[in-house]
Amino acid sequence: MESSGAARSMDGNTRPIRVALISPKGPLYKHKTGIFRKSLRVAPLTLTTLAALIPSDVEAEVSLFDEGVMDVPPDLDVDLVGMTVITGSAPRSYELSKQFRERGIKVVLGGPHVTLVPDEAALHADSVVLGYAEETWPQLLRDFVRGQMQPVYKMSLDFSLQSEANLPFARRELLPKSMYKTRNTFEASRGCIHSCEFCVVPTAWGRRPFQKPVAHVVEDIRRTGARQLVFYDLNLIADAAYAKELFAALVPLKIQWFGLSTTFLNRDRELLELTVKSGCRGLLVGFESVNRQTLASMNKGFNRPDKYAEFVRELHEAGIALQGTFVFGTDGDSKACFEEVLEFIHEVRIDLPRFSIQTPFPGTPLFARLEKENRILTRDWSLYDGQHVVYRPLKMTADELMQGHENAWKRAYSLPFVAHRMFRSMPVWPLILAANLGYRFYARNLSRFYTCQGGTI
């Protein structure tokens, strides 16, 4: 490679390096053969951010491939491939990596799974990037054009999102607008201050929150002209003071936004009022369970089931729709858990209920505990997507967990259940109706995409 930041072509002339950034998918989410419809798809932010992080001193042509909406060309002709890997997509990532490397194309792997199990990932790549890539990805590219790419790049201990160099504006135009419900995805912060047993975040990145300057977030939104947008932040209100500053700055933009929160939101009246004024129209909230003991066992005791109904009522009165997530299969769950959750959803009218099977992602305290108890059934990472049974439950069989989970999806998205939820008028009801219909398709077709039977592999 040439130190000028360009590659040398066969005729001896220099040319820009060709870089492909790929988000591989597992069987549930893959283009054409996957289950998700456009009504449930929002554009990823990682690929467009990585594209924006290519430094100006590296001449590069970049192409993006999200396998959730498009195919990766089998004859892709590039110099370098970068893939962002979650656990469920790891086998597909390794498969693609093998194909590219056999053709002499260098492969870089990064993302949560790689950070959790770097030694495994390193067996399938020329280089791995651990942690957030704002500083390491530009350095890797510079090393690549010099022919000095290192096998491992690791996020520095003093990493910050306050540095201007770490704050490019994502190149959203590189993804096809027609393939997504929205391409307007943003983030203001990363990380989470909590330590839920099942969550990969504390293990992969620690519990220290990373925050972008509010002025940068506002400018990013202004530049796109977005009127409706999604925040990808794992917990947008983790730092109440920061959230209040952000929401106050969003008010003049007159936007509608959707994001993620916790049940702490209505415990701070000023914060809730600013959330509404800033244009919030929908939140994803991890209720996880309606059982207090179950929540305590997963280190999520700050959730209070006796306050759930009040929380939902107050957000509905404020015009905020709720996507509520629930986890089945914890050690405190018996076969009664499915009916308990469905009754709660029906009673309080959760606008978009979503269910997952407890999944012990590698590197998490949950995985370590279940492995010690000899309860892990498989290490086929493609099944680690929250919709398969990959461990031995404590109070029911794997079959009972799988069937109860699937039946919960089908009942929650039966027409009577959907009609009951939609009966209450909401400012964003057309979006909620479209999402309900999308999840109805998902619920009715989930069994076709299961590749494990009875939890045994």
Side-chain angles (χ1 to χ4, degrees):
M1 309 302 292
E2 299 295 314
S3 59
S4 64
R8 185 173 295 279
S9 62
M10 294 183 66
D11 61 7
N13 296 319
T14 58
R15 58 167 176 77
I17 62 169
R18 294 164 299 190
V19 179
L21 297 173
I22 301 174
S23 177
K25 298 294 179 180
L28 279 175
Y29 311 101
K30 198 173 179 184
H31 178 47
K32 294 180 182 176
T33 60
I35 194 172
F36 267 95
R37 287 184 161 185
K38 180 182 174 181
S39 59
L40 302 177
R41 294 182 182 135
V42 293
L45 193 55
T46 300
L47 297 181
T48 53
T49 299
L50 289 172
L53 283 166
I54 296 175
S56 59
D57 56 309
V58 172
E59 298 178 54
E61 296 174 353
V62 61
S63 52
L64 275 53
F65 299 93
D66 173 7
E67 277 202 309
V69 300
M70 66 187 78
D71 295 322
V72 176
D75 58 348
L76 184 64
D77 185 15
V78 294
D79 303 299
L80 181 68
V81 167
M83 286 187 270
T84 180
V85 186
I86 60 174
T87 298
S89 70
R92 174 61 176 166
S93 305
Y94 298 160
E95 173 192 347
L96 286 171
S97 181
K98 183 175 184 293
Q99 295 173 10
F100 290 130
R101 297 176 80 193
E102 286 177 347
R103 294 169 48 206
I105 299 172
K106 299 295 185 183
V107 173
V108 179
L109 298 180
H113 185 75
V114 175
T115 301
L116 290 168
V117 286
D119 292 342
E120 173 195 286
L123 299 175
H124 303 275
D126 297 287
S127 182
V128 294
V129 176
L130 310 183
Y132 298 128
E134 270 77 2
E135 296 168 347
T136 50
W137 173 239
Q139 185 58 51
L140 181 151
L141 290 171
R142 293 186 179 103
D143 291 347
F144 177 76
V145 297
R146 290 194 296 263
Q148 298 174 1
M149 188 171 70
Q150 302 300 305
V152 180
Y153 291 83
K154 189 173 183 179
M155 183 180 80
S156 64
L157 294 176
D158 61 350
F159 175 81
S160 170
L161 285 176
Q162 295 292 314
S163 167
E164 187 174 343
N166 292 348
L167 292 170
F169 294 109
R171 296 189 60 188
R172 299 174 180 86
E173 76 281 359
L174 294 177
L175 285 174
K177 185 177 182 180
S178 61
M179 296 292 188
Y180 302 99
K181 185 68 176 176
T182 181
R183 218 170 42 177
N184 296 322
T185 52
F186 298 83
E187 68 170 2
S189 61
R190 295 180 195 165
C192 186
I193 60 175
H194 302 295
S195 57
C196 302
E197 184 189 34
F198 58 83
C199 186
V200 303
V201 174
T203 303
W205 301 292
R207 295 171 61 186
R208 178 166 62 100
F210 300 91
Q211 299 167 338
K212 295 181 178 180
V214 168
H216 174 85
V217 179
V218 171
E219 177 60 20
D220 196 13
I221 295 171
R222 287 188 188 278
R223 289 164 65 101
T224 66
R227 308 308 302 168
Q228 286 190 343
L229 56 96
V230 174
F231 278 109
Y232 265 144
D233 306 49
L234 293 173
N235 183 3
L236 200 50
I237 65 163
D239 182 333
Y242 176 80
K244 290 174 183 178
E245 180 187 355
L246 172 65
F247 297 161
L250 294 179
V251 172
L253 300 183
K254 300 186 183 304
I255 58 174
Q256 291 186 344
W257 63 267
F258 304 80
L260 287 76
S261 177
T262 67
T263 56
F264 276 111
L265 179 57
N266 72 331
R267 302 179 198 179
D268 184 327
R269 306 312 302 178
E270 181 187 7
L271 178 59
L272 178 57
E273 290 172 3
L274 280 170
T275 303
V276 176
K277 288 180 181 178
S278 67
C280 179
R281 293 297 179 267
L283 290 172
L284 184 151
V285 176
F287 294 99
E288 318 307 1
S289 175
V290 295
N291 184 290
R292 190 71 182 263
Q293 288 70 39
T294 296
L295 291 164
S297 72
M298 62 173 66
N299 291 337
K300 200 158 186 175
F302 59 84
N303 269 7
R304 297 168 59 185
D306 59 318
K307 299 292 185 181
Y308 280 176
E310 177 186 354
F311 174 81
V312 175
R313 177 182 57 78
E314 290 191 5
L315 265 64
H316 279 166
E317 289 176 351
I320 297 175
L322 279 173
Q323 182 176 64
T325 63
F326 299 87
V327 177
F328 295 131
T330 66
D331 285 357
D333 284 344
S334 67
K335 289 188 291 183
C337 71
F338 308 108
E339 190 63 34
E340 291 169 353
V341 168
L342 286 168
E343 287 180 359
F344 167 73
I345 288 168
H346 193 67
E347 177 185 351
V348 303
R349 288 189 169 99
I350 297 289
D351 304 277
L352 282 170
R354 201 172 83 186
F355 312 108
S356 63
I357 294 171
Q358 178 179 245
T359 302
F361 292 103
T364 63
L366 177 61
F367 186 93
R369 178 171 65 82
L370 294 181
E371 185 176 42
K372 184 178 180 181
E373 296 171 3
N374 197 30
R375 293 168 59 191
I376 299 294
L377 295 174
T378 178
R379 285 173 173 75
D380 179 353
W381 302 134
S382 68
L383 303 179
Y384 281 62
D385 58 7
Q387 303 299 310
H388 291 90
V389 183
V390 297
Y391 68 100
R392 187 175 296 105
L394 194 62
K395 295 184 178 180
M396 65 183 102
T397 68
D399 269 331
E400 289 168 340
L401 174 54
M402 186 174 73
Q403 291 303 320
H405 167 258
E406 185 176 341
N407 290 337
W409 271 110
K410 289 180 177 178
R411 285 187 57 195
Y413 286 94
S414 65
L415 290 178
F417 261 65
V418 172
H420 179 74
R421 290 197 293 274
M422 294 302 301
F423 181 73
R424 179 184 46 78
S425 176
M426 286 290 297
V428 291
W429 73 264
L431 291 176
I432 298 302
L433 176 60
N436 265 278
L437 294 177
Y439 273 119
R440 175 172 163 79
F441 174 85
Y442 179 93
R444 290 163 62 87
N445 290 275
L446 186 59
S447 61
R448 294 197 296 115
F449 294 86
Y450 273 102
T451 54
C452 65
Q453 298 298 321
T456 57
I457 307 301

